[in-house]
Amino acid sequence: MLLIPLLAVASAQAEPEGALTRPTYSWVHVSDLPGRRPTEDALGRRRVLEARLERKEGRARAPLLRKSADLLVAASDAVWVAQLRRLDSAWADGVAFELDTADADALRDEALRRYESAIGLRPGRSSAQARLSAGLLRRERRELEPARAHLAAVVEGPAPLRVRRKAAVELGEMEFEAGDVPRALDAYRAAASLAGTDELRAYAEYRIGWCEFNLGEYAAARDNLVRAARRAHDRALAEEARRNAIRFAALIDLQEALAVVDEVCDDDLCVSAQREHLAELLDESGRIRAAAEVRSLEP
């Protein structure tokens, strides 16, 4: 049961009440469960783990249950990939083909049982990875309440910071996709407050900006996207943050937008490109004279 990443294209202005304006850049993450290992020789590793599980009792089973669940999810992914390849081949040959998800779903179901068994045996810090994985699988199944319970427990619990950051971002993604912007904003803010030097902080600030934009808080949205643009090492994320920071500032004031261009750019080439982007936005909104003014500026 794969979950397709959010890649909807954002419109130039906020959509009617009840609809979300969605960012173009998305966290590609959904089936990338923590602790997953490559699928090579996965069957052999599963057999070894099953044999070890038979010899263990009580709390000692917890880490083996989590590892075996990771391998079951990897096996489920492999089944999905095989099915998708068969679908591609059938389409190329003009042959009808219906995806069979039963085997992949059964493997994921068993993985979920094992993750949650591991949580029950050893609750607390040592079960954080299993709880995060269980939350993602519950989310895939659109079981939002149990998914929320798992992810929130990781964010608020004694887990390592990197695991709490990931859970907070995942919780924000789930809430945003469900249309609950205030809850998503809380989760992304938690991720930003926990983040260290990794890319998750820039991504969280980017998504905070989008939540604020949907709530009509354009100035705050601009500020968070400026921060994301300055912090991000990922070029695609940095560019999306720059362009949207300028877009949001243009909704406030032309001079605000020009100031943001200077703030997010480090060289003249970037300034020229982002001024042209601003001019195009102004053209699209009917502000022709303002667009001409931007284009008349010295490089």
Side-chain angles (χ1 to χ4, degrees), residues 45-117:
R45 291 202 304 277
R46 282 170 59 193
R47 287 172 178 161
V48 170
L49 281 171
E50 294 297 332
R52 292 176 63 192
L53 270 168
E54 290 181 3
R55 298 193 298 268
K56 297 291 184 179
E57 295 182 359
R59 289 166 55 87
R61 290 171 56 83
L64 296 177
L65 284 168
R66 183 181 67 80
K67 291 176 183 177
S68 66
D70 290 341
L71 291 174
L72 287 169
V73 175
S76 174
D77 286 350
V79 172
W80 259 101
V81 169
Q83 282 284 304
L84 292 173
R85 285 176 177 165
R86 290 181 64 188
L87 178 63
D88 287 344
S89 297
W91 280 353
D93 295 337
V95 177
F97 180 82
E98 186 174 343
L99 285 173
D100 181 1
T101 68
D103 290 343
D105 289 347
L107 288 165
R108 263 169 153 66
D109 289 345
E110 179 58 26
L112 179 57
R113 282 192 289 271
R114 294 190 180 203
Y115 284 131
E116 293 185 338
S117 293

Side-chain angles (χ1 to χ4, degrees), residues 5 7 9 27 60 111 120 127 132 135-136 138 144 177 196 240 243 252 266 271 298:
L7 291 171
V9 177
W27 174 249
S127 69
L132 174 54
L136 295 183
R138 289 288 184 187
L144 299 190
E177 288 167 10
E240 283 298 316
R243 291 172 66 84
I252 304 169
D266 292 324
V271 169
E298 292 293 329

Side-chain angles (χ1 to χ4, degrees), residues 215-234:
L215 294 171
E217 301 170 7
Y218 297 149
R222 172 206 59 201
D223 292 345
N224 273 295
L225 286 173
V226 167
R227 279 190 284 273
R230 301 295 296 175
R231 194 186 305 279
H233 297 293
D234 180 274

Side-chain angles (χ1 to χ4, degrees), residues 93-221:
D93 295 337
V95 177
F97 180 82
E98 186 174 343
L99 285 173
D100 181 1
T101 68
D103 290 343
D105 289 347
L107 288 165
R108 263 169 153 66
D109 289 345
E110 179 58 26
L112 179 57
R113 282 192 289 271
R114 294 190 180 203
Y115 284 131
E116 293 185 338
S117 293
I119 295 166
L121 288 171
R122 297 183 71 174
R125 183 183 178 90
S126 60
S127 69
Q129 291 278 16
R131 193 177 287 280
L132 174 54
S133 297
L136 295 183
L137 286 179
R138 289 288 184 187
R139 177 184 166 198
E140 282 187 1
R141 294 151 67 111
R142 302 297 195 274
E143 297 170 356
L144 299 190
E145 283 304 324
R148 185 177 292 119
H150 280 310
L151 294 174
V154 177
V155 176
E156 297 163 5
L161 277 179
R162 62 181 178 80
V163 181
R164 293 174 65 196
R165 289 196 299 268
K166 176 96 184 274
V169 167
E170 298 289 0
L171 184 57
E173 300 288 85
M174 185 186 83
E175 302 293 11
F176 192 89
E177 288 167 10
D180 193 331
V181 178
R183 266 185 167 174
L185 182 56
D186 286 344
Y188 290 128
R189 282 174 172 165
S193 70
L194 290 168
T197 57
D198 62 24
E199 199 71 357
L200 278 179
R201 184 169 186 178
Y203 181 77
E205 288 169 342
Y206 172 80
R207 297 293 284 207
I208 288 168
W210 272 99
C211 289
E212 291 168 335
F213 176 75
N214 275 282
L215 294 171
E217 301 170 7
Y218 297 149

